[in-house]
Amino acid sequence: MISMRYHIVSVAAVFLALAVGVVLGSTSISDRLLAGVGAERESLQGQVEQLGAERNALKAQVAGAEQFESAVAPMAVQGQLAQRSVVLISSAEVSDQRRAAVSELLRDAGADVTGEVRLGEGFADPDRADQLRRVVTELLPAGLQLPTAADPGTLAGGLIGPLSLLDPQTGQPQTGDQERAAAFSGLADGGFATASPGLRPAQLAVVLTGGPFEGDRAGDEAAVLARFATQVDLAGQGAVLTGSADGTGAVGVARADPAIASNLSTVDNAGSSSGRVAIVLALREQADRQAGHYGVASSAQGAVPSGRG
């Protein structure tokens, strides 16, 4: 007769056999899975290394192209701004290196760079808009008239433009030296703008701005600079605005507004040698009463103006 002990041993043997089978089966499957994963890892590692090599090659090509452009840029713009004067206006975030590079190429083009105006950090701050309006109104020299628009960018351009640029009709300064110095002193006291020592009014202006603004009021800040540059453009023979072509960049706002884009020229890659060449050639266009939009963004007409001799 089969005892209870025999049943228990039999059942235990069955479960033991199942357990051994599961372990052996899973070990075999795991080995195949690990082998497959290892092969896939090696394949991905090879792709990463290949992409890294391609990236390094592209970076080397870009660096080489920039070196070449830097070398030929002075020759490309030679004589384009001969007997022309230019004032450089920059927002607070523009680096000294970028300002110096633009100024150097302007001189290579034959331009007389008459000085610089640096806008303060609070210039485009919406929280200081009312203060900027008040300061501009109080500092306006006799004989000048502000635009009818009430936005701070246009009003500030209506003051700084005539202070920095020659009358496009007469070619003469639009204010006296003492009035100009007093107005810039007041702007500096308010933290809105400073002028370089000995600044002289010029025929043309370059307005340098930085990347796109960020935050809830980014569009408003970019609009201040775009409208400011528009009014500077109207105050002299012409102006070129540089900066970001994004929706919250000064150039992006300017290009999106047909009323601005029809008169003010823009460049969206002033950090490169080709962008600085575009600035010079766009200034030449402005002197000839033409406007265009240049750079690498999809909203640009091309890399540089064409047909200039």
Side-chain angles (χ1 to χ4, degrees), residues 146-168:
L146 288 175
T148 57
D151 67 274
T154 299
L155 289 177
L159 174 63
I160 295 177
L163 293 177
S164 307
L165 291 165
L166 298 170
D167 188 302

Side-chain angles (χ1 to χ4, degrees), residues 86-90 112-118 159-166 173 175-178 180-181 184 193-202 204-205:
V86 182
V87 64
L88 198 63
I89 303 174
S90 58
D112 173 17
V113 180
T114 62
E116 296 186 25
V117 176
R118 297 294 307 276
L159 174 63
I160 295 177
L163 293 177
S164 307
L165 291 165
L166 298 170
T175 61
D177 293 343
Q178 292 183 344
R180 185 183 313 109
F184 273 122
T194 57
S196 60
L199 176 135
R200 295 175 286 112
L204 301 159

